[in-house]
Amino acid sequence: MLPLSDSDLARDGKVLILAYDHGLEHGPTDFESVPETMDPETVWDIATHDAVTAFAVQKGIAEAYYPSYADDVNLLAKLNGTSNLWMGEPDSAVNWSAEYAADLGASAIGFTLYGGSNNEVEMAEEFRDAQETAREHGLPVVMWSYPRGQGLKNDTSPGTIAYAARMALELGADVAKVKYPGSREAMEWAVAAAGPTKVVMSGGSKTTDESFLRSVKDVIDAGGVGLAVGRNVWQRENAGEMLDALGAIIHEGATVDAALARMG
Ligand code: FBP
């Protein structure tokens, strides 16, 4: 396991990943509420915020923009991803190799595993290749650990999220990115299941400022190290203020009320 203190992915052990692979995963519809976010440059600019420790994007967006932002943004190379047009059992194409990401200057790699999918076995084998290559380059590995598929009735139940966190440990991820299981206690279970693998929460669809910040605070109080978030930041007109508030909670240990006060 790679100590996060040796990497750019974390600051003082805490992680705030801004994710922007939604154009692939969900399609341009995610950009409709704040149309400027269709332009990747708008979101790269948001990613330069001090609180952000890494920016997760797919290959094409990394190739086109990272060279201009290399001094200000740590690149998290999201290696696999699939469009919302795909109607089969959950799966995710590997779109670039960890080696290519390292050559491009990535600080970390990200990889989705749909545990419970009929494609879990192939995805785990693809993860093995990516993880071992990342190790050769000293890059931390973040697993988007999302159990889903035919057999799963509830993909955010406490037991499922603890299992997701455990799978990330067993397969060699440094960070498990899991959905919020609904309470601090459930997140504590996931953190315990992950052992030395660090746990971050996945943002989810946009909600109110207060309820989102409360879930983030629960994660930190449960022993998680932070957050990987997309829509709850850049689907807001005041994305910078939301990052101020998230930075207060994640990097400074602020209360939700104190963080909300930062939003003006
Ligand atoms: P959000 O904070 O917007 O949920 O983004 C996190 C993320 O993991 C993205 O990297 C990814 O595009 C999206 O969620 C996938 O979410 P789902 O597969 O649940 O639709």
Side-chain angles (χ1 to χ4, degrees):
M1 199 134 297
L2 202 72
L4 287 190
S5 51
D6 291 351
S7 82
D8 291 337
L9 177 63
R11 190 182 321 135
D12 297 328
K14 295 293 195 295
V15 172
L16 204 178
I17 296 164
L18 186 67
Y20 182 62
D21 56 346
H22 303 63
L24 175 65
E25 296 284 343
H26 298 160
T29 181
D30 271 14
F31 309 134
E32 277 169 9
S33 55
V34 183
E36 311 85 75
T37 59
M38 177 82 96
D39 180 353
E41 212 168 280
T42 301
V43 187
W44 278 94
D45 286 342
I46 293 171
T48 64
H49 190 287
D50 262 2
V52 174
T53 60
F55 188 41
V57 291
Q58 281 284 339
K59 178 165 77 172
I61 295 208
E63 283 183 332
Y65 295 91
Y66 179 63
S68 311
Y69 286 87
D71 290 341
D72 302 311
V73 176
N74 295 322
L75 174 65
L76 192 165
K78 180 70 198 327
L79 298 187
N80 61 351
T82 307
S83 85
N84 214 8
L85 305 170
W86 165 252
M87 285 298 146
E89 180 71 1
D91 202 354
S92 196
V94 182
N95 304 314
W96 44 333
S97 65
E99 184 133 50
Y100 186 75
D103 287 349
L104 208 67
S107 296
I109 64 152
F111 204 98
T112 295
L113 182 83
Y114 294 130
S117 157
N118 289 345
N119 297 310
E120 177 189 318
V121 172
E122 289 77 10
M123 294 187 84
E125 289 171 357
E126 291 162 357
F127 176 78
R128 176 197 64 208
D129 289 345
Q131 192 264 4
E132 292 181 0
T133 308
R135 287 284 175 265
E136 286 166 18
H137 291 274
L139 298 181
V141 177
V142 182
M143 180 186 283
W144 274 227
S145 193
Y146 288 177
R148 63 177 60 159
Q150 279 178 19
L152 264 136
K153 292 192 180 56
N154 180 349
D155 62 7
T156 56
S157 73
T160 300
I161 297 303
Y163 205 161
R166 186 68 181 201
M167 287 176 80
L169 164 65
E170 305 264 354
L171 298 184
D174 303 295
V175 176
K177 172 178 187 299
V178 297
K179 307 249 176 195
Y180 182 61
S183 69
R184 172 180 164 170
E185 292 68 31
M187 197 48 113
E188 280 172 358
W189 187 11
V191 169
T197 292
K198 306 299 180 198
V199 176
V200 300
M201 180 182 97
S202 186
S205 53
K206 189 182 159 204
T207 177
T208 64
D209 296 348
E210 181 169 352
S211 98
F212 183 58
L213 292 174
R214 288 209 182 281
S215 62
V216 175
K217 180 73 174 142
D218 278 349
V219 173
I220 298 298
D221 289 348
V225 300
L227 176 70
V229 57
R231 291 163 289 179
N232 266 295
V233 168
W234 46 255
Q235 281 185 348
R236 287 180 154 75
E237 296 287 354
N238 60 346
E241 287 183 13
M242 176 48 87
L243 284 172
D244 291 341
L246 291 171
I249 292 176
I250 293 170
H251 297 301
E252 299 164 27
T255 63
V256 172
D257 288 343
L260 279 168
R262 298 269 181 106
M263 297 190 69

